Amino acid sequence: TTLLGDWISRNNIPTAWLSIDKNDNDGNNFIIHLIDSIQTVHNDVGDQIKSMLYSPENIDNEYIGELLINDFLQLKENKIIY
């Protein structure tokens, strides 16, 4: 981890970092924390997903995955992702 962090820092690579703990066994919590970490680099990723996860409705995990992939594809189209 230290070596990787040093390499990232020396090369000025935009990086999202996520530490996982036992609370991340819940799928919604994991996705929310994942999106929070990604938003430190790309703040437009996952806004729609997070609002859906905070709603009382049960959202299909496959649909959430599709939305997240679409957000990443949008970044790539705008040449923001490295």
Side-chain angles (χ1 to χ4, degrees), residues 31-41 50 54:
I31 296 296
I32 289 169
H33 291 301
L34 176 65
I35 291 170
D36 286 342
S37 69
I38 294 168
Q39 286 181 339
T40 63
V41 179
K50 281 175 61 175
Y54 284 122

Side-chain angles (χ1 to χ4, degrees), residues 44 71-81:
D44 294 335
D71 281 356
F72 282 128
L73 290 174
Q74 184 66 35
L75 288 175
K76 189 172 182 178
E77 282 180 15
N78 293 331
K79 298 184 185 342
I80 297 174
I81 198 165

Side-chain angles (χ1 to χ4, degrees), residues 10 17 40 50 61:
R10 289 177 190 254
W17 199 266
T40 63
K50 281 175 61 175
N61 289 338

Side-chain angles (χ1 to χ4, degrees), residues 1-13 15 17:
T1 304
T2 304
L3 182 61
L4 182 59
D6 186 52
W7 177 75
I8 289 167
S9 178
R10 289 177 190 254
N11 291 289
N12 293 326
I13 299 171
T15 307
W17 199 266

